[in-house]
Amino acid sequence: DMAIFEFFGSIQNTFFTYLAKFFTTFGDEAFTIPIVILAVVLCFFKKTRKYGFTLLFAIAVGTIITNVIVKPTVLRIRPYNTLQDVADYWQWYVGAGALSEGDYSFPSGHTTAAVETAMALFICFRQDKKKIAWVFPVIALCTAGSRIYLMVHYPTDVIGGIIVGTVAAVAGYFLMKAVMLLFDKTKLGNIDAGKLFSKMTEKSRGKV
């Protein structure tokens, strides 16, 4: 952990600090909640239903594993609360902005949130749009790195978040497959907000 902290501390500068603070927002609740809302909306459109369900299930599984099971079980204290006597760490922590979080450290919730979202989209996009698909994991890895750079997580916290996020995304994908199968075999498959909007558009054009 300290060797990796030392590496990130050695590259600290104003630009990287702003960049880290930018990428860390991809794991914030302020980012995840709109993603959940978007996922719900996507579920009502036949063409995008698989993306919506995969995202919803991935986020649900990741949240349960991280916030309900692992964090309350491990109870790992944040590094800025346990390494205050380590002069080098404290200098890096203050230099990165001295951010403070309100929950336990392992696994990284921000990393889990970013990775579960990114990997869910990657799995869905990899068949149709391979080039776009790789953008999501890259952003997630930048978010993971930002948590170490900002000194608010041990590197092992971030590794844990990557593992949990990946597992959650894979679970979300297979849960989506099961739900889509249910939709195909029932009248639920006829739900399509896209058709509704098309009909409304046609009617409005007819009136004009």
Side-chain angles (χ1 to χ4, degrees):
D1 281 333
M2 286 307 300
I4 297 175
F5 276 142
E6 184 176 358
F7 167 75
F8 279 94
S10 69
I11 64 171
Q12 277 188 357
N13 59 51
T14 303
F15 173 74
F16 281 148
T17 299
Y18 278 119
L19 202 62
K21 289 180 178 179
F22 168 74
F23 278 110
T24 206
T25 60
F26 287 98
D28 287 343
E29 288 184 3
F31 179 80
T32 304
I33 292 173
I35 290 293
V36 171
I37 295 171
L38 174 62
V40 172
V41 173
L42 293 177
C43 290
F44 287 96
F45 293 84
K46 196 168 186 177
K47 290 183 178 180
T48 59
R49 189 166 291 149
K50 68 176 182 179
Y51 304 112
F53 278 124
T54 303
L55 281 169
L56 281 178
F57 288 130
I59 292 171
V61 171
T63 300
I64 291 171
I65 293 175
T66 298
N67 296 322
V68 179
I69 299 174
V70 182
K71 277 182 182 283
T73 301
V74 178
L75 299 177
R76 190 180 197 183
I77 307 301
R78 297 273 179 172
Y80 52 77
N81 288 323
T82 58
L83 299 176
Q84 293 180 5
D85 295 333
V86 180
D88 285 339
Y89 166 82
W90 194 252
Q91 181 180 348
W92 300 325
Y93 171 64
V94 173
L99 300 183
S100 180
E101 305 286 346
D103 59 353
Y104 290 104
S105 194
F106 183 88
S108 166
H110 279 70
T111 302
T112 300
V115 171
E116 69 196 9
T117 301
M119 291 306 296
L121 291 172
F122 172 78
I123 293 170
C124 289
F125 274 96
R126 65 188 174 86
Q127 295 177 341
D128 305 325
K129 301 177 181 179
K130 293 182 179 179
K131 291 182 179 179
I132 295 177
W134 285 100
V135 172
F136 304 115
V138 170
I139 293 174
L141 287 175
C142 289
T143 301
S146 74
R147 303 306 286 167
I148 306 173
Y149 179 95
L150 295 171
M151 302 289 159
V152 293
H153 275 291
Y154 291 100
T156 42
D157 298 338
V158 170
I159 293 171
I162 291 172
I163 293 172
V164 173
T166 302
V167 169
V170 172
Y173 177 75
F174 283 108
L175 287 169
M176 176 275 291
K177 284 286 189 181
V179 171
M180 291 293 284
L181 187 63
L182 176 65
F183 268 65
D184 291 339
K185 289 186 176 181
T186 63
K187 292 182 179 181
L188 291 173
N190 296 326
I191 298 174
D192 187 4
K195 289 182 179 180
L196 178 62
F197 284 132
S198 295
K199 290 180 180 179
M200 291 173 62
T201 303
E202 288 175 3
K203 287 182 178 180
S204 63
R205 286 178 180 174
K207 290 180 180 179
V208 173

